[in-house]
Amino acid sequence: MRIGDAAAAAGMTPRALRYYEQQGLVTARRTPSGHRVYDAEDIRRLRAVRELREAGLTVGDVRAFAHLLRTMPPEGVPALIPKDPRAERCSTAEAVARRRLADLDDRIERLSQLRARLAARLGEPADGPGAAPPPEAPAATA
């Protein structure tokens, strides 16, 4: 299938598909006239890339274990740490995901600090709207 159809089937834009191709995450075959052509395996791989990106991984993160994309099941990206201890784990993918999770935690902490500083300048509570309310004090018993 051509790029527009492949992108739609993978849930992305043709521009995103070309970008993932430039990054080495998928390789298109070419027709004699030079048009890109993708097959079902390419679509499955692109869906896995999209799912991993939506989970917070960067293109560089996905590229670190791109060789595993062809082994991902058709139903989507499996858990990086299987619940069954006998199931196969991928230490590379797990390490990349744990590193990204730590990075996200650091970024959230920095953004929370920035938010608190700005809120203080505006005279607003540091925790802001939508934050969890403070725990209630236990009711006094008589």
Side-chain angles (χ1 to χ4, degrees):
M1 80 183 65
R2 296 260 177 103
I3 191 167
D5 295 330
M12 62 184 61
T13 64
R15 183 177 178 178
L17 197 158
R18 282 190 291 274
Y19 176 71
Y20 294 143
E21 185 178 341
Q22 288 172 343
Q23 296 301 310
L25 299 176
V26 68
T27 303
R29 284 149 309 285
R30 300 280 183 154
T31 65
S33 61
H35 293 283
R36 291 174 169 92
V37 179
Y38 302 90
D39 61 18
E41 175 58 26
D42 296 321
I43 303 307
R44 191 184 63 72
R45 186 179 180 104
L46 287 164
R47 285 180 180 155
V49 169
R50 188 195 73 228
E51 192 176 334
L52 290 164
R53 296 276 296 126
E54 288 172 351
L57 295 178
T58 67
V59 170
D61 293 336
V62 176
R63 198 175 30 233
F65 56 89
H67 62 284
L68 299 172
L69 293 176
R70 69 175 116 59
T71 64
M72 298 220 179
E75 61 274 4
V77 176
L80 292 175
I81 302 177
K83 291 180 178 32
D84 181 352
R86 296 167 296 176
E88 186 176 330
R89 290 172 67 161
C90 176
S91 59
T92 302
E94 184 180 340
V96 168
R98 287 192 183 284
R99 187 173 59 244
R100 178 60 47 213
L101 190 58
D103 179 60
L104 288 170
D105 287 341
D106 290 345
R107 289 171 59 193
I108 289 168
E109 179 62 30
R110 284 193 313 269
L111 287 171
S112 295
Q113 291 171 2
L114 286 173
R115 192 211 179 283
R117 277 186 259 166
L118 182 56
R121 301 257 190 282
L122 293 171
E124 293 184 5
D127 52 2
E136 291 184 30
T141 57

